[in-house]
Amino acid sequence: MSSATQDLRTETDRRAQAPDPAQYRPGRTITDWTPEDPSFWRTTGKRVATRNLWIAVPALLVAFVVWQVWSITATNLKDVGFGFSQSQLFWLTAVPGVTGGTARILYTFLGPMIGQRRFTAISTLVLIGPLLWLGFAVQDPQTPYGTMIAIAALCGIGGANFSSSLANIGFFYPKQEKGNATGVNGGLGNLGVSVVQLLTPILITSSVLAIGAGQKKADGSEIHLQNAAFVWVPVLIVLAAVAWFGQNDLKVASTPFSQQKVIFKRKHNWLMTWLYVGTFGSFIGFAAAMPLLIKTTFPAYSVATYAWMGPALGALARWAGGWIADKLGGARVTILSFAGMAGSITGVITFLPSGSDQGSFHGFFLCFLSAFFFSGIGNGSTFRQIPVIFRSQHLKGLTEGTPQYAAALKQAEIESGAVTGFTAAIAAYGFFFIPAMFANFAVTSAMWGFVGFYASCVAVAWWFYARKGAEAPS
């Protein structure tokens, strides 16, 4: 065989083995994805991953809007004639946390099975139904409380999108950029909490956007509560279409439940769930309860002016938390976040009204801002810890470049994605439990319970992940 013929065959074989560049276009399923390869990441991977991330972010943000829409809607119901008690209103803000957390468990495993593109589009469209129902229900003060509870439960499904989104996005990025990517996705997605709390008071006063009759308040002014729901319907339709035509499904992320369920046998799944309940559970629970907490504890201060600030700070801090954890290590940053949260909530307790003491709203509010900030930092650092822990556990003692190493790395990625989604699912119950605790216990007692829980989280993070000789340094 001549040298020219040999060279031709070699070139033919190389081309046959090279990935088809068409698969990386929007709307395609990608079968060849190697983000840990520097050359691939530089020439192709980063561009594709960035596109998928920035389509996922607004879809997740609006899903959070749907999940949290009751946190502001509930504060206005009594003003327009709904005869619900204060406890019933707290329950309306809490119920979406139950369905959101439960649906997250399902979405954690369904997302990777179905694919980022298809699941983002479908799960976004599903949210239109509860918003339409809510928009019609709030126009009639005779709507039964049971109906309102049902609508609140369905709105909770919006919270489930978080688990599928982060589990999928994690597959797109190499190890050194996972913390930043999930911080961006989760942090900017979390901003949906602030968006709904900031914009809803503005939207419900606009007659231009209204579909249907307005509602009269006791002072004679008119508001349009249905706007809080209806305005997001066309946005959801657009976002679903953009996801369908613009994102990609990753073949490597398509994982049957049989390969994901092994996480329930992993100790570090449960330990990281405990820690994430402390960070994200606090963030989302405080965000849900904050409007009613301000209205009932410091009624002289405007919910619309203040309620959105804490969730905004926490959401942005999540982005920073992921980035800092990439530089300093997740466990150290996680411990710092819990220490900060414990100190902040202790400050909140100090400034609450007690007996003849009227308390201090500004001290209360600044301490709560600090709690939101540290919860956001911890949200980012814990999600950075998860892939590091599972990679180190699976790759221990293996030689890079061997088939065993490649198989272990793939399994680590699968389990990291599943654990990310599962921890987020359980932590979402904070949305339910924190408002429920405020509805059934003294606020001060509930706050001291949080401080004790944060102390346990510091102990777990230090013993298993941060101390010298820790089982899984991260």
Side-chain angles (χ1 to χ4, degrees), residues 77 80-84 137-144 215:
L77 293 179
V80 297
F82 285 86
F84 302 148
V138 294
Q139 296 180 61
D140 181 8
Q142 301 305 313
T143 301
Q215 302 89 43

Side-chain angles (χ1 to χ4, degrees), residues 19-44:
D20 178 8
Q23 68 180 304
Y24 303 112
R25 295 173 185 168
R28 304 293 183 90
T29 296
I30 298 174
T31 57
D32 297 286
W33 190 253
T34 54
E36 301 294 345
D37 177 355
S39 176
F40 171 81
W41 180 248
R42 184 179 62 257
T43 59
T44 302

Side-chain angles (χ1 to χ4, degrees), residues 50-60 120 239 242-243 245-247:
T50 301
R51 169 165 44 80
N52 278 269
L53 173 62
W54 288 106
I55 292 174
V57 164
L60 184 57
T120 300
L239 290 174
V242 171
F245 293 107
Q247 286 193 306

